[in-house]
Amino acid sequence: MVRSRLGPNPVSERRICRVLGQSRSLPTSIQTMATTPQSCRLARRLLTTIRFLQGGSPSSLRENARPVYRLSGRTASFSFQLQQGQLLRHRATHRNHVWGYDFLTDRTEDGRQLKLLVVIDEFTRECLTTEVGRTFTARDVMLTLQYLFAVRGAPEHIRSDNGPEFIAKELQRWLDRASVRTLDIQKASPWENGYVESFNGKLRDELLNRELFLSVPEARFVLDEWRLEYNHRRPHSGLNWQTPAAYAAALDDRQAGVFPAASRVASPVGATPLPPTPHAY
């Protein structure tokens, strides 16, 4: 836009970007930006720069200069969603308020797939389970949640992406009968499930990328050992450098939640809770 407004002998894109203090990739990313206050300020800065390059007073540039944020399309979209309150509306305020769950994949030594189901409490940052199998169906997810509801209590909300196991009608009906509301993130927006994604990154960096599993039972044992280490021995910066288990144990009645384990979900589908697996503690 700046070059087109300068007439038949425009200055170079390099000089324009240097005056604006912006990356040369900005002309590409700006096309996908959402309408935000930052982009409006950037537009005003562009018009001021045009006048300056055409011979206007340098003082006008200094007087009207404002901070300019380099926004890609993804960052602009994220800022827009924050303004709409899509993320802040469901921030966890007590234990069992919001859970998050997600899948990770890995492989055993023979090249066969491993699939991991991770469930965390977003308020206490505790990892509630790391179930391992070759494949998972919506029924498998439901049975895992049923056991967690029985021993810990049901959450008010559970957050996930739009994977087929999570949006299956059977699972959605079961969660509805359990009075658990689902929070589905937008497609291709993993940052909306940030607590799980952060945990997944730690799990992959510290364990999955360093271990070669020979079998599913071995993977179950090693992952459960790492989960206990994470919950009971690792200080967390978001919890004032307490471990998730210590933080959860010190919560007052309000933060600990208002319902005890197994009080909200009494076998909503008429089945008994899933018994603990041999590798669970």
Side-chain angles (χ1 to χ4, degrees):
M1 183 180 69
V2 174
R3 298 185 71 187
S4 65
R5 292 286 295 274
L6 290 179
N9 298 311
V11 297
S12 68
E13 180 182 300
R14 187 186 301 274
R15 184 185 175 194
I16 293 174
C17 290
R18 184 169 62 250
V19 172
L20 287 174
Q22 295 296 323
S23 167
R24 294 181 64 191
S25 63
L26 179 65
T28 300
S29 61
I30 196 173
Q31 297 176 4
T32 60
M33 290 173 61
T35 303
T36 64
Q38 291 90 341
S39 62
C40 294
R41 288 197 294 270
L42 179 58
R44 291 195 296 270
R45 179 80 181 269
L46 287 171
L47 294 176
T48 302
T49 303
I50 290 173
R51 292 194 294 269
F52 171 66
L53 292 175
Q54 288 178 326
S57 171
S59 62
S60 66
L61 181 62
R62 290 195 297 270
E63 292 171 0
N64 293 280
R66 287 177 171 82
V68 178
Y69 298 89
R70 222 178 302 172
L71 297 176
S72 65
R74 174 177 294 183
T75 308
S77 175
F78 179 58
S79 301
F80 180 74
Q81 290 166 5
L82 278 176
Q83 292 171 2
Q84 297 300 313
Q86 293 179 8
L87 302 184
L88 301 180
R89 188 184 308 147
H90 298 296
R91 182 176 181 179
T93 59
H94 54 266
R95 187 178 73 97
N96 282 3
H97 183 197
V98 181
W99 289 6
Y101 60 170
D102 196 12
F103 281 114
L104 292 90
T105 58
D106 199 24
R107 294 191 179 276
T108 49
E109 184 268 344
D110 58 4
R112 298 175 63 193
Q113 176 179 271
L114 277 178
K115 202 164 186 179
L116 288 65
L117 174 62
V118 171
V119 185
I120 68 167
D121 187 313
E122 292 190 1
F123 185 74
T124 64
R125 309 295 204 276
E126 294 171 284
C127 177
L128 308 182
T129 188
T130 51
E131 291 295 324
V132 184
R134 296 292 184 186
T135 60
F136 274 88
T137 64
R139 180 72 178 178
D140 297 325
V141 174
M142 185 180 68
L143 291 175
T144 299
L145 291 178
Q146 187 178 31
Y147 174 67
L148 291 176
F149 291 1
V151 300
R152 184 182 174 91
E156 297 179 39
H157 305 272
I158 189 162
R159 196 190 314 270
S160 70
D161 59 24
N162 295 279
E165 301 89 353
F166 299 139
I167 64 175
K169 292 182 179 179
E170 179 185 16
L171 178 60
Q172 295 294 316
R173 286 193 297 266
W174 182 82
L175 289 172
D176 184 63
R177 287 195 293 268
S179 300
V180 177
R181 284 167 284 186
T182 58
L183 302 175
D184 297 328
I185 69 174
Q186 297 295 319
K187 292 183 178 180
S189 304
W191 56 86
E192 294 186 19
N193 204 3
Y195 292 108
V196 166
E197 293 296 334
S198 175
F199 176 84
N200 290 349
K202 294 181 178 67
L203 176 58
R204 189 167 294 282
D205 290 342
E206 299 178 12
L207 181 65
L208 299 183
N209 290 345
R210 302 183 181 188
E211 290 285 341
L212 181 62
F213 301 119
L214 301 180
S215 63
V216 172
E218 180 191 9
R220 286 174 178 162
F221 178 82
V222 174
L223 281 161
D224 207 55
E225 287 289 315
W226 188 89
R227 182 181 67 86
L228 292 175
E229 176 78 19
Y230 179 87
N231 286 340
H232 295 274
R233 300 183 182 91
R234 280 188 47 156
H236 197 293
S237 60
L239 304 174
N240 295 322
W241 298 106
Q242 301 178 74
T243 64
Y247 179 77
L251 294 176
D252 56 34
D253 292 340
R254 180 184 63 83
Q255 293 176 319
V258 296
F259 39 85
S263 64
R264 298 187 69 213
V265 181
S267 298
V269 292
T272 57
L274 185 71
T277 52
H279 66 281
Y281 285 79

